[in-house]
Amino acid sequence: NAGVTQTPKFRVLKTGQSMTLLCAQDMNHEYMYWYRQDPGMGLRLIHYSVGEGTTAKGEVPDGYNVSRLKKQNFLLGLESAAPSQTSVYFCASSYWGSSYNSPLHFGNGTRLTVT
Amino acid sequence: AQSVSQHNHHVILSEAASLELGCNYSYGGTVNLFWYVQYPGQHLQLLLKYFSGDPLVKGIKGFEAEFIKSKFSFNLRKPSVQWSDTAEYFCAVKLGSGNTGKLIFGQGTTLQVKP
């Protein structure tokens, strides 16, 4: 019963490097989200997906790209990392339907530092 | 732009004191409302949620919240806090009904309960 799994847990990048964060969920949820959490700013939505093959921009999408090739996976990419992207990144998934709604299920987070 | 505001950024209470954390949102359509809690070093967990029906909802650990549509508010309350309630609390709003998917968080309120 894994729920939402994020990899890696920690990462240090140099400015200009690229990386991909992986989020996997085993609950057959349609909706998946990437948030970043910064002190005093709460969680801000980067991108989200309402189903396999779909993505949409959130509140702070610049500098990030995402892909949802498989229903269970949602990838967050940083093509050219910047110090401003130092943050804790959370993935979440949920199901919104006409007869049943689930709240977000969160992963344990990825702490990214860009030097 | 749609937003969620939490008025109290840092609250300090003594054990057994009553708690009320404010949450307001700016969106004129249908909303689903949530309160999440994040204990130190952990990911977010759901406290309670409102989808429809009785605007007074009860969650885990003695928390409750009231949805006041005319005030665009969803304040969190607890009659008597405990030291173990020390955590960060986030209000979240899902914009729109059904499967629109976008869910926005407030900035968070840090609650410190003194024993």
Side-chain angles (χ1 to χ4, degrees), chain A residues 16-109:
Chain A
Q17 288 185 316
S18 64
M19 78 163 293
T20 300
L21 281 67
L22 171 63
C23 177
Q25 54 94 5
D26 61 0
M27 296 171 283
N28 201 34
H29 283 168
E30 290 290 340
Y31 298 85
M32 297 188 74
Y33 308 80
W34 276 107
Y35 291 91
R36 59 177 289 174
Q37 184 178 26
D38 303 290
M41 305 191 77
L43 278 81
R44 292 181 290 170
L45 181 62
I46 304 171
H47 287 280
Y48 65 105
S49 168
V50 300
E52 181 179 318
T54 73
T55 63
K57 293 181 180 180
E59 303 168 273
V60 289
D62 294 341
Y64 304 95
N65 58 74
V66 288
S67 64
R68 184 95 181 269
L69 299 179
K70 293 183 178 181
K71 187 177 183 179
Q72 64 268 33
N73 296 336
F74 194 31
L75 278 64
L76 178 70
L78 286 73
E79 291 186 347
S80 179
S84 61
Q85 293 177 305
T86 294
S87 186
V88 180
Y89 292 84
F90 284 99
C91 176
S93 71
S94 69
Y95 174 81
W96 307 107
S98 60
S99 59
Y100 175 72
N101 293 297
S102 85
L104 293 186
H105 294 257
F106 282 88
N108 287 325

Side-chain angles (χ1 to χ4, degrees), chain B residues 65-78:
Chain B
E66 184 174 13
F67 172 44
I68 303 179
K69 190 175 182 179
S70 61
K71 295 185 178 180
F72 300 90
S73 71
F74 190 55
N75 292 354
L76 180 71
R77 300 193 290 252
K78 185 170 183 178

Side-chain angles (χ1 to χ4, degrees), chain B residues 67-102:
Chain B
F67 172 44
I68 303 179
K69 190 175 182 179
S70 61
K71 295 185 178 180
F72 300 90
S73 71
F74 190 55
N75 292 354
L76 180 71
R77 300 193 290 252
K78 185 170 183 178
S80 176
V81 294
Q82 300 172 321
W83 177 79
S84 57
D85 292 324
T86 295
E88 192 159 16
Y89 293 81
F90 294 93
C91 178
V93 179
K94 177 179 170 293
L95 308 177
S97 59
N99 59 357
T100 54
K102 191 172 181 180

